[in-house]
Structures are given as structure tokens and as C-alpha cells.
Amino acid sequence: MSVATPEAPRAELAPPAAVAPLPARRRARANRPAAALALAALALMAYAAFAGGGISIPDESRLQIGIAAVSAAALAGLLFAARRPHAAPTLRAAAPPAGWAGLALLGLFAVWNGISLAWSIAPENSWLDFNRMIGYALVAGLGLVIGASLPRAAERMALGFVALAAVVALYALGGKALPSLDLLGLVDLNHTADFSRLRAPFGYWNALGLFCVLAVPIALRAAADLERNRTTRILSELTLVPLLVTIGLTYSRGALLALLFAVALLVALSPDRLRLLAFAGAAVLGAAPALVLGFTSDPLTTDAVPVAERTDEGIAFLIALVAGVVLAAAAGWALRRWDEWVVMTARARRTAWRVTWIAGAVLSLGLLGAMNDSERGVGGTIEHQFDQFTETKAEKTNDPGRILKTNSGNRWTWWEEAAGAWSDRPLAGHGAGSFQLLHLQYRENTLPVRDAHSVPLQFLAETGVIGALLALGGLALLAAAAVRRLWRGPAGQRPYVTALAAAISAYAVHMWFDWDWDVPAVTLPALLFLGILAARPPGAGGSEVRPLAPGREPGGRVGMLALGVAMCCAFALSALLPALARDRTSSAFEHAAAGTPEELAAGARDAEIARRLNPLSDDPTAAASAIAERRGRYDRAAQLLAEGVDRAPSDPQAWLRVATFNFRRDDLRAALPAAQRLAELDPRGESALLFLPALDPSVRSATATGTPLPRLVPPPPAPAPAAPAPPSAASPE
């Protein structure tokens, strides 16, 4: 009788869990592509921050070329990711359906920006916006790949961004503390020489404030995180001091509002609320000395103060900043030493909520009582504050006291202009990037502005309901996927997921009253964070773009990579051409100013190259026309001016050049229609007012349309007798 022996299990039936995990060293090597992609994303954000916020050409063009290069590398990693049985690829792209849908809508919004070229009143700006939106969609996609590939991606990217924000804040504060410091001509900290309000390296104070605000909830989370090592906690706590001081010295009310919202959301969503509040209080205590001196010192708050007079106050400011850091460190040390005292029990939480509600009710009743006892009463006070908010007036933007003011900084006027423009073309808008010209047509004042200072309203005015739904819907779907990750993701990753969500909420609040969408340095972090949170973290499964299995269809992978690289190259070329055209145009104007025959010939060549590189801009034709006029070639100058108004028929500057050229040549038959078109496009502009005497029938003959009028602009030097008679430039249709 034989005894049966159990069969050994087949190797192919072994469960996935039976596969031995990778050793630590091999795991680190497997994570290198994802880590390299994360470092590349941080490098893009660093470049945007220190390239003036990435706002202007050619800085934004270089940034977009970098995004294209990183995206091509990420695509190669996705298609040729190394795999082993039952192991995740080195790079993957996985997200819930809401995440994919949000990314798709952002891509469609970029396409819609390009389509709007067909009816845009600012075609060159529409091209630039098209490039910008492609870059934004790619950055959100990079965030999705990083979030799905890099273990603890939210935590690592969050801490990396805090380090970057700390460098930005210290550089900004250097303009107050060490204005005389110049390191070998490479780093000049005297960026408060003309304007005392902090704005470097962005060039725009509100953007600098928001950039630092995005880092505050992350640094606060790390400072109060008991799971982190002591060094990281201390460094995060100390980083909060320069971040808060920088935010304060930007005098940005919007940044302060976004900061309060982000910290409140972080505290509300975190279980260790009391600890977070305690460390936040320590950071505010540390920031107080430098803020007090920065707000009260005349040399530090006055424009155009010589460096010698700011140096001593700068040293005092530096001492106050260092003292604040030491104070915050001491407070943090005490909090860590008695950490058990900052743990809130369930009963204490209920009591805290009751006290908060009661305090809020008491403050509200006290405010209503004070308003009722005032001369205006409750209704009159509210009406007065609303009038203050909507009033249009010039204000001193570098006054520290503006933080306490309740006016809108003229935003209400620009919001009305955007709403009016949208109501005229509600479905498709006036074309991406067109608000700069819309403002000239709809304004009732002479305030210059580039953007509507409200991202949603600008979407409506420029791209209509269709564009606004695509952009805001894409952001909302990515946010929905991020919220799902917040509530259902791994508990160990939740603290930094919450911190990134709080940072994103700060951007979401701030974009309603500023032009953040046109500042890549603050939008890139928000979109990258959204992509990371919308992704499925490694090991979580979900809808995934999987690379083809090794050994199968290599030609298909190569073909997909070739197509993707070609598209990235096309995007890079689209970003490069406007920058090259502007560089050539600037060179042409410089040659024209020199005036020698050789310089004029070189300028004409540069202008011709610029005309070919950017067929949507009238600036190259303006440069070429100026050179042709200086060379006595009036036929050519008139043709180039006509080409300029054909390229940008809604640009007042193009018509101003036509009117000025013909007025200088005493040709009113061509000049007056151009001046009339100028007045229609910019009725309140100084140039239109200059031509009003010529447009008034009471000062012209009713029958003689060619009657010479007094020259409104100094004429150019008289041409040589052999020069041909100047023809008329084009008139409007």
C-alpha cells in the first residue's frame, strides 16, 4: 500500500505575493526614472521662478521648450519602462476616470485656444496663449506620471517645493537686508532700488506672495509631523519665518487671504489640529520682529532710496530676521519637548468648536452693533464699503497701509470690462489673450492693464462659455480625483496629500481676483500638485496607460515614441518662433536708431526675418516700415504699414502708425480714416485724443477732404529731391 504524497505547487500558479520583493538597492535603481522626472519638474519650477515668473517672451519660450523636452523623456520612459513579473514599471501613468477626463479637458482647452485664432482680435497673443496652455496640460500630465510612479510622491515633491520656495523667499528678502551685496556680478540683491515693495524674482508682488503661500501649509505640515526626523522638522519650522515675512512685505491682501484659507483648510482636515496651530503660532511669533521693522522703517518702505541710506536699516532688518528665526526655533523646541500637551482629545475638540462658534457669533454681533451705532448705520456702512470696493482711483501701491484697505485695487472696473466683453460674444469669446485689447475698447478710464485680474472672467471674455467650461471643468475634475485620493488613499500618505490639497486651495482662491493663469511660476506648481494628487499611487492599480510588454510590437512602441517626440518638437518650435521674432525685431529697431546706411541695411534684414518668423505680429512690419522711411523708400513703408493693419486689424498701435505716417506726409485722405479707426479701438487713449481736432468736422472744411491741417507730430527730415513722392498708406475697410 503506497502512501500518497502531496504535489509540490506549480511555480506558475504561485500567487503574486509570493514573488520576493526587490532588494533596497534594486528598488532605488527602479525608482530612478521617476525621481529624475520629479527633479526635472522642480528644475522647471525653479527656472520659472527666477526667470521673472516666466511671464514674458523669451523666458516663457525657454520654459516651454524645457517642458517639451521633459515630456518627450517621460513618454520614452512610459513606452520603454523596464518591467519584471508582478512588479510595477519604472514609469507608469495611472489615474481614476475623473483624472483622465480632467487632463483631456485641459488638452481640449489648449486646442480651443488655437482654434480661436480664426476670430481673435489679438492673433499673436492667441498664439502665445495656445503655447502656454499646451505647456500647462503637459505639466499636469507630468504630475500624473510622477504621482503614479514615484513612491511617496506627494511627500517628496512637497518638501522639494518648500526648499525651492525658501530660496525664493531668501532672495526676495535680500533686497531689504543686503541691498549692497553683489556676488561677482552674478547675484545682485539691490532689486528694491526703485520700488520698495517686494516682488523679485517674479517682477510681480502678488505672484511672489502666492508662490510663498503655496509652500506654507507644506512647511507647517512637516514642522508638526511626528513621523519625520528631527532635522527636517526643525528646517521646515525655520523656513516658515522667511516665507511669512516675504508674504507680509509683498503687501498683498490676496496672498494673505489665500494664506488664511489654506492654513484653515489644513487645520480642519488634519487630526493634530492643536499641534498645527501651535507651530503656526511659533512661526508668526518668529516673523513678527522683521515684519514690524519692514513695515515701519522709512528707508525700507520708501522708493528710490540710495543704497547707502538703506544699508544700515538693512542690517537691522537682517538682525531682526535672524532673531525671529532663533525665537521660532526656541518656541518649536519647547513645543517638541512638551509635545503631549499639544494633543487634543475628542472632548477638547468639541469644546474648541463650541468656543470657535461662540467667538464668531460674539464678533459678528459686536461688528453689527458698531455699524449700527455709526453715523451711517448698518445699511449705510455696507453701502459705503461697497462704494469703496468698486471705486476706480489711482492708489499708492507701495504703501504698507494698503493691507488694511477694503478697495478692490480697481479690479471691479476690470471685472466689469471682462463681463461686458463676454456679454457681447458669450459663446466663443474674442480670442485667447485678447483682454489687453478688449480693455482699450471697454474701459471708461485711462488705467493701463494687461489682464482682467480674474481668471474665470478672463476665460469667459477671451474664450467664451466653451473655453471657460473646458478649462474650469478640467481643473474641477482633477480636483475631484484629488479629493478621492484624500479620502480613500493610503493613511500613511494622507498628511502630505492634505498639505498639497491646502496649497492647491490657496491657488483656487487667489485666481478669482488675480491673473495667476498668465504667471507660469505660480500655475506650474498648482497643476503639478493637482496631477500628483489625481494619480493612482504606486501599487494602487486603477486606469493605467501601460507600456507594451517587452518583446512585443517593438515597432509600435518606436512609432508611438516617434510621433510623441515629433509633437513635442512641434510644440517647442511653436514656442521658439515668437521669441526669435521678437529678438530680431528688437535688433531691427536698434539698427534703425543708429541710422547709418550699414545699420539700416542690417535692420532691414532682421525685420524681414522677423516678419517671416511671426506672421501674426505687426511689430516686425513696424520696424521694417521705420527703416524703409528713414531710407526714403516711402512706397515700401506704406506697404509695410498696410501689412501691419492686415495682420492686427484690432490693434490701435497699428492704426496709430498709419495715421502718424500719413499726417507727417500731409496726406489727410489716408490719415483721417486711420485716425477714426484708432479712436474706435481706443476711444480713451492719449493717441486718440491727440487726433480729436482732426476728427472734429467743425475744424475741417466740409468740402475739401484734402485740406492740410496743422501737423500734429514733428515731421521727419525732408527727403532728397530725387526721392519718389510718398503714397498713402492703407485705409480701414
Side-chain angles (χ1 to χ4, degrees):
M1 184 176 178
S2 61
V3 179
T5 58
E7 275 188 349
R10 296 180 182 180
E12 62 270 17
L13 298 180
V19 177
L22 285 171
R25 183 173 297 179
R26 292 185 62 188
R27 273 202 312 272
R29 285 200 299 268
N31 291 336
R32 283 177 183 173
L37 192 59
L39 288 175
L42 285 172
L44 290 174
M45 290 189 288
Y47 174 80
F50 285 96
I55 298 172
S56 61
I57 303 296
D59 295 325
E60 187 174 19
S61 297
R62 298 190 188 103
L63 176 64
Q64 290 163 356
I65 293 171
I67 292 173
V70 174
S71 300
L75 178 63
L78 284 171
L79 291 173
F80 295 91
R83 297 180 66 94
R84 64 187 293 271
H86 313 302
T90 53
L91 283 182
R92 62 194 286 266
W100 290 118
L103 189 60
L105 287 184
L106 287 183
L108 289 176
F109 178 61
V111 173
W112 182 251
N113 277 261
I115 294 174
S116 72
L117 273 165
W119 61 84
S120 175
I121 67 171
E124 182 186 15
N125 290 345
S126 297
W127 183 12
L128 297 178
D129 272 27
F130 170 64
N131 292 337
R132 186 181 303 125
M133 299 317 142
I134 292 178
Y136 285 172
L138 289 176
V139 167
L142 289 175
L144 194 148
V145 174
I146 293 171
S149 307
L150 185 65
R152 304 193 339 268
E155 175 184 345
R156 293 177 174 181
M157 288 300 297
L159 294 177
F161 180 75
V162 167
L164 172 60
V167 175
V168 169
L170 291 174
Y171 178 81
L173 293 174
K176 297 281 189 183
L178 299 169
S180 59
L181 182 62
D182 186 359
L183 298 178
L184 303 176
L186 300 176
V187 179
D188 183 7
L189 294 182
N190 191 24
H191 43 70
T192 57
D194 300 321
F195 204 79
S196 61
R197 189 176 179 184
L198 286 188
R199 53 180 178 170
F202 288 77
Y204 181 46
W205 40 81
N206 290 347
L208 172 62
L210 178 59
F211 189 85
C212 293
V213 166
L214 295 179
V216 168
I218 303 170
L220 182 57
R221 174 69 276 168
D225 187 2
L226 296 179
E227 300 299 324
R228 300 222 63 81
N229 61 67
R230 183 178 179 183
T231 302
T232 304
R233 291 183 65 184
I234 293 174
L235 290 176
S236 300
E237 179 188 348
L238 300 184
T239 299
L240 283 168
V241 175
L243 289 175
L244 293 178
V245 174
T246 302
I247 294 169
L249 295 183
T250 60
Y251 310 159
S252 174
R253 295 168 294 176
L256 290 176
L257 179 61
L259 173 64
L260 292 175
F261 188 89
V263 172
L265 184 64
L266 176 68
V267 172
L269 295 179
S270 302
D272 53 344
R273 298 182 182 92
L274 186 59
R275 183 181 295 110
L276 287 170
L277 289 174
F279 278 95
V284 171
L285 182 65
L291 284 175
V292 170
L293 186 58
F295 276 105
T296 58
S297 171
D298 286 339
L300 298 182
T301 58
T302 306
D303 295 343
V305 177
V307 174
E309 298 180 19
R310 284 184 285 129
T311 301
D312 292 341
E313 287 293 320
I315 296 298
F317 177 81
L318 179 61
I319 293 173
L321 183 63
V322 173
V325 169
V326 173
L327 185 61
W333 176 83
L335 290 173
R336 287 188 295 272
R337 184 175 179 85
W338 293 289
D339 192 70
E340 65 275 7
W341 294 95
V342 291
V343 176
M344 186 176 287
T345 63
R347 181 177 180 181
R349 281 196 295 271
R350 290 193 296 270
T351 302
W353 279 114
R354 293 192 189 101
V355 170
T356 301
W357 283 109
I358 293 172
V362 170
L363 288 175
S364 299
L365 291 175
L367 180 61
L368 287 174
M371 292 167 59
N372 186 60
D373 293 339
S374 66
E375 295 180 357
R376 297 186 178 93
V378 176
T381 301
I382 294 175
E383 182 179 358
H384 175 71
Q385 290 299 323
F386 182 77
D387 292 340
Q388 289 285 320
F389 185 79
T390 60
E391 183 182 5
T392 302
K393 62 179 181 180
E395 63 173 354
K396 189 178 180 182
T397 57
N398 67 332
D399 180 14
R402 69 184 308 275
I403 290 181
L404 302 178
K405 295 181 180 179
T406 58
N407 61 58
S408 67
N410 298 317
R411 283 172 171 78
W412 184 265
T413 299
W414 302 324
W415 296 344
E416 287 184 322
E417 294 169 4
W422 171 57
S423 66
D424 287 341
R425 296 198 64 180
L427 190 61
H430 298 262
S434 60
F435 185 80
Q436 189 171 4
L437 297 184
L438 289 173
H439 162 69
L440 302 178
Q441 299 178 23
Y442 286 84
R443 65 178 175 174
E444 297 181 356
N445 51 66
T446 57
L447 292 174
V449 74
R450 169 179 168 174
D451 300 270
H453 284 68
S454 174
V455 173
L457 283 176
Q458 188 154 328
F459 284 161
L460 289 171
E462 295 182 348
T463 60
V465 172
I466 296 176
L469 288 177
L470 289 174
L472 297 178
L475 294 176
L477 286 173
L478 286 173
V483 170
R484 184 181 185 275
R485 165 86 176 273
L486 179 62
W487 294 115
R488 300 185 183 181
Q493 301 179 20
R494 195 166 297 164
Y496 290 92
V497 170
T498 304
L500 287 186
I504 294 169
S505 73
Y507 181 91
V509 169
H510 199 271
M511 76 174 186
W512 285 89
F513 44 79
D514 220 328
W515 47 287
D516 305 325
W517 196 253
D518 290 346
V519 185
V522 296
T523 301
L524 292 187
L527 289 175
L528 191 73
F529 295 164
L530 264 179
I532 290 173
L533 296 190
R536 300 267 192 181
S543 303
E544 181 178 350
V545 175
R546 296 180 178 273
L548 300 177
R552 294 185 182 180
E553 303 182 31
R557 284 184 287 169
V558 172
M560 292 175 64
L561 179 60
L563 178 61
V565 170
M567 295 177 67
C568 289
C569 290
F571 167 53
L573 181 63
S574 180
L576 179 62
L577 290 179
L580 293 178
R582 290 201 180 187
D583 181 62
R584 289 286 186 169
T585 302
S586 299
S587 176
F589 276 117
E590 291 174 1
H591 287 306
T596 63
E598 295 78 11
E599 293 285 350
L600 292 176
R605 289 192 296 271
D606 285 337
E608 180 62 25
I609 293 173
R611 286 177 59 239
R612 297 176 183 273
L613 291 174
N614 188 350
L616 301 178
S617 174
D618 60 327
D619 289 335
T621 61
S625 174
I627 292 172
E629 187 177 2
R630 295 207 64 175
R631 300 170 85 179
R633 300 175 182 177
Y634 299 105
D635 283 324
R636 182 58 177 163
Q639 292 171 0
L640 290 166
L641 290 176
E643 180 182 331
V645 297
D646 285 340
R647 289 184 172 203
S650 297
D651 184 2
Q653 290 298 316
W655 293 105
L656 174 61
R657 297 182 191 113
V658 173
T660 303
F661 174 83
N662 288 297
F663 263 109
R664 284 205 302 259
R665 308 315 308 167
D666 287 332
D667 188 353
L668 298 186
R669 187 180 298 276
L672 292 180
Q676 179 65 48
R677 182 59 176 156
L678 170 63
E680 293 172 359
L681 294 173
D682 186 12
R684 297 185 180 275
E686 294 181 358
S687 300
L689 296 176
L690 179 67
F691 288 106
L692 276 180
L695 298 176
D696 187 355
S698 63
V699 300
R700 292 193 285 123
S701 168
T703 56
T705 56
T707 302
L709 295 177
R711 288 173 175 164
L712 304 177
V713 204
S728 301
S731 300
E733 295 180 358

